[in-house]
Amino acid sequence: MNTPASQPEPRPLTTSVRYLAGVGPARAQALASLGLTNIGRLVAHLPFRYEHERAESSIAELEPGVMSSVRGEITATRLAGRGRKQRFEAVLMDETGRLDLVWFGQPYLSTTILPGMRIWVQGKAARRGGMLQMPHPLFELLDADEPDERRERLRPIYPASESITSRQIERLIEDILPEAVAQIDDHFEAAYVRERELPPLRAAYHMMHAPDSPQQIAEARRRLAYDELFMLQLAVHLKRRHVHEVLRAPVLETSNELAARIRCRFPYQLTAAQERVVSEITRDLARAIPTSRLVQGDVGSGKTAVAAIAMLIAVANGHQAAIMAPTEILAEQHHAALTELLLGSRVRIGLLTGSLSADNRIALLAQLAAGDIDVLIGTHALLTETVEFASLAVVVIDEQHRFGVHQRAALRTKTQDQHSSPHILVMTATPIPRTVAMTLFGDLDVSIIDELPPGRKPVETRVLRTAQRADADALIAERVALGQQAFVVVPTIEGETAIGVHDVVKRLSQGALTDARIATLHGKLARTDREVIMADFRRGAIDVVVATTVIEVGVDIPGATVMVIEDADRFGLAQLHQLRGRVGRGSQASICLLIADPKTPDAQRRLEAMASLSSGFDLAERDFEIRGPGELIGARQAGDMALKVADLSRDLELLKLASKDAASWVKRSPRLDSPADVILRRRLRHTYGDALGLVDIG
Ligand code: ADP
Ligand code: MG
């Protein structure tokens, strides 16, 4: 190891990078743009991969200007020059030749590198007056008994930028590594990490930056990944404790009589899965602990009915309920469906979307605050609005899997008392792998509707090339002739870069479907026009709806049996599955045609997956394989989670361990205020304090 003769005072982790050798204003600027402002940030800047260093060369093989390493014996040394120009020179020989080594301004090396020693050096050689010279090489003294094999080194490759290279960062980190690592305090006790077969934090950082072997990298990663997952789970469990022990929700009782009365309103019997989830929810609602439950159910599994029952329980108990949808079309559909469901009852329903006129909105908000509206339906805009409820008891967030902790925290403020909170249900059709759900929504309980209403037939799915479009048109015509209905979905309204709504309408009405009733549906239509079209489509007065993805989620037209998706390679797997879920909701066999000439292997794999898999769960797993968890989670949340080392698709075992450990930690020290928690608490607040609104561990 490179050991300077005298150990200078270690520089604190907060030392600015500007004080490091070789860092001038420009380099400091370049470092700052990567967030690397001080020594502590530098050690925390981890390599994202490693390269096996080119095997060692013999001296004869050295190429000027190429980074290489050689080993040999020091045959002579000398100190030359004076003052700042002083340099240390050494001659290195191997069986093939001679290399001159030179270091400027490090005279103490003359006591470290001595004639007769065997040494390994690494650097770029240059020709100087016929001699081969290597200025400022990295070096390691070799033990006399070290086997004379040419070694490989694992070179860390760092995230870098246009103005600073990985190599330059590597040099700086090499410089500060020993002194910086020595100052890192472990937030766990030695016994704690030993029990879990994890290395201490200092060792982990050291091994990350300067590994001796791939095993060391794996070991270091495991520790750092564990820490990330533990912090995340700790935040989640603390939050959960806060919700459980500090916040209070209205207690909503469900008598048998009420349960029967609500069920009477539905024109069908609930499936066993729906019943099970309803009973899980009613049990939650009867407690003063605010519910946070994720209801997962594939497209068409009947989540709306479950949501409606929860809302009606709130209303029956004298409180209000709200349901939020991701699109106006879906909010309008919920409004229509609930209005029908509650026909002749005393339940008062309101619809709040961006399309509401200013006057109507003011009136609606006043009714809401006065308690004159029982069930409010709206878009997610509800969250950001100054909407006040008289007594909000149940909130349903429909068709939302990218719904993070922030939004739920915002919801909890919709009640007057800061210690009161509504019960919250999150409905999602995008099946989130359990492990991801646990991480993302760790403070949610999960219910799964794992059964479709009876009589559903899987949607046959076929992939067609664009040249086969006429086949799709013919199929639509055939089905329309039988009195069935079709959706055609296109990526854009105008069709500048892809096929548009109007292109399709023109093609169909001038070709295969001259007599059919065709309508268009997209985000630029006025609310009233949209509502008329949806109502007409539902009652069979329209045969074909050509739409953009405004119909992607939730839209429920049981008579539609054909879904044609144009330019299907432009859509993600979850999106395609959602779109396909718009058909196959009645008892007739449905078909989905994906029209595309896929341009990438991933697009090809997505289309193949759609054709071969029908369950949303299987598709989500496949999606996870193709894209990894990042996309599923959404960039924002991936950021919130601050997972840099841990990889949810790979570190599942570690996640389970971290979650279990975090749970028992919080149980033992619910306010993180024991002396052993000091560092942990500081780091947790640093990472998650604001994001999770951990108000009670201030
Ligand atoms: P999603 O889970 O996708 O939100 P919906 O709630 O929109 O599903 O329900 C899909 C369709 O299934 C609707 O037409 C709904 O009326 C119908 N449905 C829901 N539950 C049942 C059931 N138990 N039996 C028969 N049809 C049902
Ligand atoms: Mg739905």
Side-chain angles (χ1 to χ4, degrees), residues 297-304 330 333-334 398-399 427 429 553-556 578 582 585:
D298 207 346
V299 286
S301 61
K303 294 183 291 295
T304 316
L330 188 50
Q333 174 181 291
H334 282 326
D398 192 28
E399 302 290 5
M427 307 270 160
V553 286
V555 166
D556 185 43
Q578 273 285 357
R582 298 312 111 220
R585 299 182 150 241

Side-chain angles (χ1 to χ4, degrees), residues 422-436:
H423 299 281
I424 298 174
L425 299 171
V426 179
M427 307 270 160
T428 175
T430 304
I432 302 165
R434 247 205 122 70
T435 41
V436 178

Side-chain angles (χ1 to χ4, degrees), residues 11-12 14-25 28 31 37-39 172 175-176 179:
R11 294 163 290 190
T14 51
T15 307
S16 163
V17 290
R18 273 175 294 139
Y19 298 113
L20 301 182
V23 179
L31 287 165
T37 46
N38 60 33
I39 291 183
L172 288 172
D175 252 18
I176 54 129
E179 66 178 303

Side-chain angles (χ1 to χ4, degrees), residues 14-123:
T14 51
T15 307
S16 163
V17 290
R18 273 175 294 139
Y19 298 113
L20 301 182
V23 179
R27 171 101 10 124
Q29 187 69 47
L31 287 165
S33 69
L34 291 169
L36 306 177
T37 46
N38 60 33
I39 291 183
R41 295 283 182 92
L42 268 181
V43 219
H45 192 63
L46 300 175
F48 63 95
R49 66 185 174 89
Y50 299 82
E51 269 174 11
H52 281 274
E53 194 94 281
R54 217 178 93 109
E56 286 173 28
S57 323
S58 65
I59 289 176
E61 288 166 345
L62 284 179
E63 274 181 63
V66 176
M67 179 58 66
S68 16
S69 47
V70 293
R71 67 174 62 207
E73 188 178 322
I74 299 292
T75 55
T77 65
R78 72 172 183 133
L79 269 176
R82 301 218 141 262
R84 297 181 58 216
K85 292 223 168 119
Q86 199 171 38
R87 61 186 191 273
F88 172 66
E89 297 175 351
V91 177
L92 181 72
M93 304 276 294
D94 72 1
E95 57 282 8
T96 67
R98 163 182 171 154
L99 176 67
D100 291 347
L101 310 174
V102 56
W103 286 269
F104 296 92
Q106 285 169 267
Y108 55 81
L109 288 177
S110 63
T111 58
T112 312
I113 299 175
L114 304 172
M117 281 182 168
R118 291 182 56 251
I119 180 178
W120 170 93
V121 294
Q122 180 186 53

Side-chain angles (χ1 to χ4, degrees), residues 410-687:
L411 262 181
R412 300 212 188 273
T413 65
K414 293 275 171 210
T415 51
Q416 277 91 2
D417 171 1
Q418 65 163 24
H419 289 310
S420 85
S421 161
H423 299 281
I424 298 174
L425 299 171
V426 179
M427 307 270 160
T428 175
T430 304
I432 302 165
R434 247 205 122 70
T435 41
V436 178
M438 174 168 124
T439 316
L440 263 187
F441 301 121
D443 61 335
L444 289 183
D445 295 311
V446 180
S447 288
I448 301 175
I449 309 180
D450 51 5
E451 180 186 359
L452 295 177
R456 295 281 172 81
K457 298 185 185 69
V459 180
E460 182 192 338
T461 304
R462 277 191 246 147
V463 182
L464 300 183
R465 302 289 130 177
T466 48
Q468 299 169 286
R469 252 194 198 115
D471 296 356
D473 295 355
L475 185 102
I476 298 175
E478 201 177 289
R479 293 288 180 114
V480 167
L482 293 171
Q484 299 173 12
Q485 294 165 293
F487 283 105
V488 180
V489 175
V490 297
T492 60
I493 303 179
E494 297 301 345
E496 277 151 17
T497 57
I499 191 161
V501 169
H502 301 294
D503 302 327
V504 174
V505 172
K506 205 164 135 195
R507 190 183 83 218
L508 291 178
S509 56
Q510 293 177 356
L513 287 146
T514 38
D515 299 327
R517 294 159 300 178
I518 304 175
T520 62
L521 202 59
H522 51 77
K524 287 198 180 149
L525 288 181
R527 169 184 162 190
T528 43
D529 295 341
R530 272 195 319 252
E531 283 178 335
V532 168
I533 291 166
M534 288 299 288
D536 285 351
F537 198 36
R538 188 163 289 119
R539 67 184 171 86
I542 289 174
D543 303 308
V544 181
V545 161
V546 181
T548 57
T549 53
V550 290
I551 57 123
E552 179 181 332
V553 286
V555 166
D556 185 43
I557 309 285
T561 63
V562 180
M563 166 63 67
V564 174
I565 304 175
E566 296 272 4
D567 288 332
D569 55 329
R570 290 174 168 249
F571 298 100
L573 208 40
Q575 225 179 348
L576 289 172
H577 180 60
Q578 273 285 357
L579 286 169
R580 177 170 64 184
R582 298 312 111 220
V583 296
R585 299 182 150 241
S587 50
Q588 280 152 325
S590 295
I591 186 158
C592 173
L593 300 176
L594 306 171
I595 302 181
D597 297 323
K599 286 158 206 79
T600 66
D602 271 7
Q604 177 66 32
R605 288 175 71 198
R606 286 200 299 275
L607 296 175
E608 281 165 11
M610 283 297 294
S612 61
L613 303 174
S614 61
S615 125
F617 192 85
D618 295 341
L619 280 167
E621 299 266 292
R622 183 67 55 87
D623 204 19
F624 204 60
E625 286 164 26
I626 300 177
R627 298 191 300 176
E631 297 277 333
L632 180 67
I633 292 159
R636 182 188 163 78
Q637 285 189 342
D640 284 356
M641 292 203 307
L643 298 184
K644 298 201 190 85
V645 182
D647 173 349
L648 291 181
S649 61
R650 202 181 52 196
D651 296 322
L652 300 185
E653 288 306 312
L654 209 53
L655 173 62
K656 283 183 203 155
L657 177 66
S659 179
K660 193 174 111 257
D661 287 345
S664 46
W665 198 291
V666 170
K667 206 165 183 186
R668 191 161 28 87
S669 180
R671 298 183 62 89
L672 280 198
D673 53 4
S674 85
D677 297 338
V678 174
I679 306 172
L680 193 62
R681 180 190 170 102
R682 175 158 46 79
R683 290 191 179 149
L684 182 73
R685 281 181 63 79
H686 181 74
T687 319

